[in-house]
Amino acid sequence: MSNGYPIGTWVVLDVVIGTAFGCGGFAMALLVYIFNRNVYHPLMRPALLGGVFGYTLAGLAVMIDLGRYWNAFNLLLPWYAQPNSVILEVGLCVMAYITVLWLEFWPAFLERMPGSFKQRYGLDKLQAFLKKYMYVLIAIGVLLPTMHQSSLGSVLLIMGSKLSPLWYTIWLPLLFLISALAMGYGVVMLEATLVNRAFKTPSEARLFARLARVVAGLLAGYLLLRWGDLAYRGYLGLAFAGDWDGNLFLIETALFLVPLFVLVSHRRTRQRWQFLAAVSLLAGGSLYRLNAYLMAVRPGNGWTYFPSAPELMITIGVICLEIMLYLLFIKTLPVLHGAHQAQP
């Protein structure tokens, strides 16, 4: 990392991409609780668990990346605040959202505890309180990621000519939000398919066939906005220039088109195709963020950046830790469909 590239792979992979992978809970809460599509409720708690780890470990990674992580509490001190900073808003929103995610998931711990233990320590009252006021947490849990996912796009607006016109646009906040929602649904499909194969649980393929229309609509809207904006600004020719940026843009678009075509065809009812569509969608969303934050950035003055081995190992370690904890939680807590009766 340098003055030319102050943001490295820890921020891009663990935060910008990692939190998008953690948007499953946000995306499903929007669908289930805001748009009243209760048929998707069985997918809610596994999606919430993915969000808990995606955001918590992303927050841990960025605190380490800050260097003096023991001073992270300064973000909460008003006299250090910079109200004009988009990154401050992102930091505060992510910190608040991590807290909300754990509170939303806390009923899973309470359901696992013996009734006598809960009564002895008054946890049964906490369980009743959370159940009664869960709607407040859900509302906050939908608002916060809407704010910071769009703000991750707003961060790039300061780059100006340093970012390729194929990615730089005033629509960056909306593009980041739409792609984060689509990736959230993609993560839910991916996790459910893997868990179904590993633990022999009932298949959710029919449910995902219905969800496919929502995801396809998001992808179509994203691509129309992206390509329409390029055409309006007169930069569409850059996509076919045959250079590094143009080729990256076309690969990125192809990765979004594959799930779009799959999810609007009859193949959307088959679990294998749902899995492939989810993988392609997540790859496209990840590449979009990687390009916008690193690979399509030209800071000038001869600055270059390539992640060091320790950077990559820390990132891989965070991902492995997330997978390990996810498996531990779904094996020991009522997370999967049918494992619990209470509403999350």
Side-chain angles (χ1 to χ4, degrees):
M1 295 165 60
S2 61
N3 289 337
Y5 288 90
I7 296 178
T9 54
W10 281 3
V11 172
V12 178
L13 297 181
D14 297 336
V15 180
V16 182
I17 296 176
T19 57
F21 271 69
C23 277
F26 161 50
M28 294 310 304
L30 189 66
L31 196 60
V32 173
Y33 298 113
I34 305 301
F35 293 105
N36 294 319
R37 297 296 187 264
N38 200 53
V39 66
Y40 299 110
H41 196 278
L43 304 173
M44 189 64 239
R45 189 168 283 185
L48 183 61
L49 178 60
V52 165
F53 288 129
Y55 271 87
T56 301
L57 295 178
L60 176 64
V62 78
M63 279 185 63
I64 299 172
D65 183 61
L66 289 174
R68 298 181 180 181
Y69 52 85
W70 52 87
N71 287 331
F73 67 88
N74 286 339
L75 280 170
L76 304 175
L77 303 180
W79 48 88
Y80 287 128
Q82 169 50 274
N84 296 322
S85 171
V86 177
I87 293 180
L88 174 65
E89 185 264 343
V90 171
L92 293 176
C93 278
V94 169
M95 291 173 70
Y97 188 50
I98 291 172
T99 304
V100 170
L101 282 170
W102 280 103
L103 289 174
E104 284 186 285
F105 190 75
W106 191 248
F109 293 102
L110 295 173
E111 290 167 21
R112 187 70 174 83
M113 297 176 185
S116 58
F117 180 85
K118 288 188 288 187
Q119 290 179 357
R120 181 178 180 181
Y121 293 99
L123 295 177
D124 54 337
K125 296 179 181 179
L126 174 61
Q127 187 173 11
F129 178 83
L130 287 175
K131 185 176 182 180
K132 183 178 181 180
Y133 294 103
M134 185 58 70
Y135 70 93
V136 177
L137 293 175
I138 290 170
I140 299 173
V142 170
L143 173 66
L144 290 174
T146 301
M147 294 171 62
H148 65 250
Q149 286 297 334
S150 59
S151 294
L152 286 174
S154 301
V155 169
L156 298 174
L157 293 176
I158 199 173
M159 288 192 175
S161 60
K162 294 181 179 180
L163 181 61
S164 168
L166 290 171
W167 285 270
Y168 186 84
T169 168
I170 60 171
W171 297 106
L172 273 167
L174 182 58
L175 288 171
F176 264 70
L177 178 60
I178 296 175
S179 59
L181 276 171
M183 290 176 71
Y185 292 123
V187 166
V188 173
M189 296 171 67
L190 179 71
E191 289 177 346
T193 304
L194 293 175
V195 168
N196 170 244
R197 291 299 181 91
F199 297 97
K200 309 300 180 184
T201 58
S203 174
E204 306 283 4
R206 295 180 64 181
L207 203 55
F208 286 132
R210 300 182 60 173
L211 184 62
R213 292 175 292 181
V214 177
V215 184
L218 286 171
L219 290 173
Y222 169 85
L223 290 171
L224 284 174
L225 177 60
R226 187 93 186 274
W227 283 77
D229 174 66
L230 281 177
Y232 177 78
R233 292 186 293 120
Y235 289 117
L236 198 57
L238 294 178
F240 305 98
D243 57 3
W244 171 260
D245 290 344
N247 291 337
L248 283 177
F249 178 83
L250 292 178
I251 293 172
E252 184 185 303
T253 301
L255 288 171
F256 281 122
L257 284 173
V258 168
L260 176 59
F261 288 141
V262 169
L263 297 176
V264 297
S265 70
H266 66 278
R267 295 184 178 88
R268 68 179 182 274
T269 61
R270 302 175 188 174
Q271 191 177 58
R272 177 177 296 180
W273 283 101
Q274 292 172 356
F275 178 78
L276 292 175
V279 171
S280 183
L281 168 56
L282 293 173
S286 299
L287 183 60
Y288 172 58
R289 284 159 167 72
L290 187 63
N291 289 338
Y293 268 84
L294 278 181
M295 298 176 69
V297 175
R298 303 291 181 270
N301 295 326
W303 292 110
T304 59
Y305 171 79
F306 190 83
S308 64
E311 281 183 276
L312 293 176
M313 292 306 295
I314 291 292
T315 297
I316 294 171
V318 169
I319 295 171
C320 292
L321 177 61
E322 182 175 352
I323 295 172
M324 183 186 70
L325 292 175
Y326 185 88
L327 291 173
L328 176 64
F329 274 51
I330 63 173
K331 288 180 179 180
T332 57
L333 296 174
V335 174
L336 301 180
H337 178 46
H340 63 92
Q341 298 299 324
Q343 299 290 323

